[in-house]
Amino acid sequence: MSIVDRPTSGSSLLGGSIVMPANSCAHALPPRLVSPWAGEPGTAGTVAVVGAGKMGLPLAAQFAGHGWTVIAVDVQEAVVAAINEGRSHMGEEPGVADLVASAHAAGRLRATTDGAAAAREANVVVLIVPVMLDARQQPDYRHMDAAVDAIAPGVHVGSLVIFETTLPVGDTRDRFAPRLEAASGLRADAEFLVAFSPERLFSGAVLRNLASYPKLVGGLSPRSTERAALFYDSVLDAEIVAMSSAEAAEFSKLADTTYRDVNIALANEFAAYADRVGVDIREVIAAANSQPYSHIHQPGLGVGGHCIPVYPHFLLSRAPELTLVARSREVNDGQIGVAVQAVRDALGGLDGAPVLVLGLTYREGVKELAYSRGVALVEALRSAGARVLAHDPLLSDADIRSLGAEPYPWGSPCDARALITQTADRLWRALDPAWFPDLAILVDGRNSLSGLALPPGVAHRGIGVPARG
Ligand SMILES: NC(=O)c1ccc[n+]([C@@H]2O[C@H](COP(=O)([O-])OP(=O)(O)OC[C@H]3O[C@@H](n4cnc5c(N)ncnc54)[C@H](O)[C@@H]3O)[C@@H](O)[C@H]2O)c1
């Protein structure tokens, strides 16, 4: 065998997502339109998708693309108007704009703000509005409660209601089914059916993921599970997994996302130890992951976005005894402090120091600021007294100002003494240190700029990577 520096095989050498092959469509299209729809293979009915956002609109387009009549429901008039003109308001999601346009042109996709009317007309209602966290890190149900209350008067005998939004374990059965029963006057799992099916898609690859990730489904009883599984089998090209209960399906999404948070926290702790013993954590992780049971993710400046930092708290809201989960949240949120301390050490203090943050969205290429560590980093630097500048190719100057930083025009001369990369945007590779004549340190927060040549005297500090300069 040949001798190599790094393992050349293994499905998760770097940790994180493994690309799964997309299944091609094996449905006989178009299906036969029926009303009411009772799950017969080869047939389609009407589905209401409640919440036509980053996840809901691609879902609506996918369902329409498989022959269903789709009514998108949203509280935002502008979203409804765009869909009714055949336009996607989700500029960056590959393939969605075309699918929305063709579904609309074929008369299979329209939108409304009237949830009750949509539910009345629909055989299936899919809810995909956000459940976030409140200031006490408890689930904030205001959007979902409002959406459930809006559709409930339209739920009728034979309706199938599916929750795709991530929920704490037990909410489908104990919080939302009774709410639907109270408003509709019908019995759940008897006169109408209720299931949970977690949305597990990745922004930027939603349509591809829909064709590859197995679709998990768990109902209030096997009856609800079976109907929901038949629905997804008619609209998706992926494997459908009929689970034993709604609770098992709810838990699976929290387990998947929390696993990633805990895994990244472990990688961050390993990175701190790698710093202490002077080895490169990337070499260690790549080597460890060449054993097929090891799937260590990458260290960095913490975890952002709607999902990974949020769902551990959904678990903790019901199971505070999960101390490993709580500790992992602390470790990941604490990574911002690692960057701030590195800059403080290099400059001898932060008071009045100009610091440029590169990347404010939670990850490169996705215009999403929810729980972004970039926002937290700006706040931490400002409260330590620094003058904070920032650049993000996805944000306008006004966006950047609203987050408390001065916009930095890419490529212009700048008096920054420290740079911190908070995303791994490819744009940073074109960075020219000559733009920053006073530069003392680059904190490479995602270990993506190890190859960047820096002038003598400028320090490079990665996360678990031997220091340079
Ligand atoms: N964004 C992601 O990367 C992602 C990934 C996997 C799963 N999810 C799941 O999808 C859920 C939704 O996420 P998203 O990114 O699509 O959110 P989003 O903010 O992009 O879209 C939510 C939409 O719901 C609408 N809405 C809010 N309240 C409503 C109501 N009462 N009735 C009708 N519409 C309403 C909003 O106007 C908005 O258009 C998340 O809470 C999560 O559980 C998201």
Side-chain angles (χ1 to χ4, degrees), residues 12 26 33 116 121 212 269 274 358 376 384 400:
S12 72
L33 294 178
E121 193 179 333
S212 51
E269 282 205 331
L358 295 173
I400 289 174

Side-chain angles (χ1 to χ4, degrees), residues 48-118:
V49 177
V50 185
K54 283 184 289 299
M55 295 297 127
L57 184 61
L59 281 183
Q62 168 80 21
F63 300 163
H66 277 65
W68 279 69
T69 301
V70 181
I71 311 168
V73 181
D74 206 285
V75 287
Q76 292 186 59
E77 297 276 4
V79 167
V80 168
I83 296 169
N84 284 333
E85 287 165 16
R87 283 189 294 112
S88 162
H89 58 287
M90 318 283 328
E92 311 100 52
E93 191 59 56
V96 171
D98 288 347
L99 210 47
V100 167
S102 60
H104 178 263
R108 282 199 301 273
L109 174 63
R110 64 192 143 94
T112 179
T113 54
D114 189 341

Side-chain angles (χ1 to χ4, degrees), residues 96-176:
V96 171
D98 288 347
L99 210 47
V100 167
S102 60
H104 178 263
R108 282 199 301 273
L109 174 63
R110 64 192 143 94
T112 179
T113 54
D114 189 341
R120 205 167 287 123
E121 193 179 333
N123 311 105
V124 180
V125 180
V126 171
L127 291 129
I128 182 81
V129 303
V131 172
M132 305 294 285
L133 288 175
D134 66 17
R136 294 171 303 114
Q137 311 281 47
Q138 296 298 308
D140 177 347
Y141 293 107
R142 83 185 91 147
H143 298 303
M144 186 58 91
D145 282 348
V148 168
D149 292 348
I151 62 144
V155 169
H156 50 84
V157 173
S159 294
L160 166 65
V161 180
I162 306 175
F163 292 86
E164 288 216 16
T165 299
T166 309
L167 297 174
V169 178
D171 274 3
T172 303
R173 189 183 307 275
D174 300 332
R175 185 183 181 95
F176 294 116

